[in-house]
Every structure is written in structure tokens, then in C-alpha cells.
Amino acid sequence: MNNLESMLLRNREFAARHSAGGMLMLSLSRALPKVKAIVVGCADMRVDPAEVLGIKPGEAVVMRNIGGRITPGLLEQLGLLARIGEVAEAIPGGGGEFHLIVLQHTDCGITRLVNNRAMLAHYFETPEAALETKAIADPRAAVSIDVASLRAIPALPSEWILSGLVYDVATGLVEIVAPPAPVRAAIPPMRQAASLGSGRSYEKR
Ligand SMILES: [Zn+2]
């Protein structure tokens, strides 16, 4: 049995177990109110939020990219996500406690790209001269920067609880770098989801 075949076997076991237990979530509209968090994390195979945070199926929307960074592309996806919620007529978390978590980690592959400035500048849609503001080589600084950039987005619901975590691959422990706090203290009316895409307005090179 090759690796794919063994994964497909595990899928059949998953399907049988979850189907028999009535655990399959057939309706997006009914699943959305039960979701508790959006986790932005790194694509690295060692840092799957389902593993390191024990996230169960349906509990969180997990968005993974290189570094777990807040890029214009990631913001665009957050905007699409908000629109999906609107079209499905469901509020993530059912209007209750809802977390937006930025989860980065030590020994991240993105730190190996510090000399690939053109690639990084394209990824962040920022001039190469501004890359220093992204703290590519320092996950603790990067998490703080990314949490601050999320906090500055007017379209994010004020009441969402925003936090920044760094997972240490050497210990398996997560450190709170940006403590959980509402996106904004005051609660202005929710803005149009489409305006989340405003991250695209970064000056292009
Ligand atoms: Zn990584």
C-alpha cells in the first residue's frame, strides 16, 4: 500500500465512523453558527492547528499560508469568507464568543526566504524596501505586526476576540504573544464584507 492508498483507507474509516456517529455536517448554514474561531496559520506540516490546538471538525475555519502571515491575499480570502457567511445567512459563532487567532511558529520556513526579497515583496504586495516592517525572521515580532494590521481593518467585527500565538516546535507549547482582546473597544455598525479586500490597496511595485 502506498502513501495515498493508506490515506484513502483512513478516509473510509473516517467516513464510516463519522457517518455512523451522526457527526457529518451536511449543511453549511447550520455548521457556520457553531464555528468558534478563524485560525490563520502556517502551511508547515508540523503546525496543523487541528493537532496543536486540538481543534475538532467544524470548530474552526483554518486558513494556512506560508508563515501564517496576514497578506493581501489572506485578507481577500477573509473577505470572501465573510461574504459566504452573508450568502448562507449565518453568523460565524452564532453571534457569541468568536476568536480570530494568528498562529505562527518557531523555525518557520519563511525565515529561510529572507534573501529572496523579490518573492517576499510580491507575497506581501509591498515594496522590497518595506520588507523590514514584516519581521520575516522573527515570529514573535511578526505575530504582533500581523495582529496590529488586523486590528486596523474597519470591516472586522469589533467584538471578535483577536490574539497572536507562537507555537514552539521544540517544546510543542503555544506562547501568547498578542493577548486576546476585542478587535476594537467600541462597536460601530458592521461594515460591508467587501471592504475587507481593502488590503489590496497596498502600493504595488
Ligand atoms: Zn512556517
Side-chain angles (χ1 to χ4, degrees):
M1 194 183 297
N2 69 25
N3 293 338
L4 174 61
E5 287 163 347
S6 85
M7 289 177 197
L8 293 175
L9 176 63
R10 279 182 252 165
N11 167 256
R12 286 193 288 277
E13 291 164 357
F14 165 88
R17 195 169 59 247
H18 283 250
S19 187
M23 293 181 285
L24 292 176
M25 286 161 280
L26 305 178
S27 159
L28 177 64
S29 298
R30 266 187 269 164
L32 273 172
K34 293 177 183 157
V35 70
K36 296 171 180 164
I38 295 171
V39 182
V40 177
C42 183
D44 191 306
M45 58 281 166
R46 298 167 296 172
V47 301
D48 184 348
E51 293 291 335
V52 304
L53 300 177
I55 289 169
K56 299 178 186 71
E59 205 172 26
V61 173
V62 177
M63 306 172 75
R64 299 175 70 175
N65 65 13
I66 301 301
R69 298 303 308 261
I70 305 303
T71 63
L74 191 283
L75 292 177
E76 181 181 15
Q77 293 195 58
L78 274 181
L80 290 171
L81 201 57
R83 185 62 192 143
I84 289 169
E86 285 178 353
V87 174
E89 297 182 342
I91 302 170
E97 178 186 342
F98 191 82
H99 290 261
L100 175 55
I101 301 164
V102 181
L103 173 66
Q104 296 175 10
H105 68 102
T106 60
D107 192 43
C108 184
I110 201 170
T111 64
R112 269 73 154 190
L113 298 178
V114 285
N115 294 323
N116 295 260
R117 298 179 65 81
M119 287 177 83
L120 287 174
H122 190 270
Y123 183 49
F124 285 102
E125 297 187 27
T126 194
E128 285 186 35
L131 277 178
E132 273 57 47
T133 66
K134 301 297 180 186
I136 306 297
D138 180 350
R140 287 175 180 80
V143 155
S144 297
I145 288 164
D146 283 354
V147 165
S149 73
L150 284 171
R151 210 175 279 295
I153 295 173
L156 280 183
S158 309
E159 67 277 15
W160 281 12
I161 302 166
L162 179 57
S163 60
L165 313 177
V166 173
Y167 171 72
D168 188 335
V169 298
T171 65
L173 289 171
V174 157
E175 175 191 348
I176 297 172
V177 173
V183 170
R184 279 174 301 279
I187 303 179
M190 224 202 270
R191 309 280 180 86
Q192 281 291 325
S195 60
L196 269 170
S198 62
R200 285 269 170 210
S201 66
Y202 289 140
E203 191 183 335
K204 301 267 180 151
R205 287 180 301 127

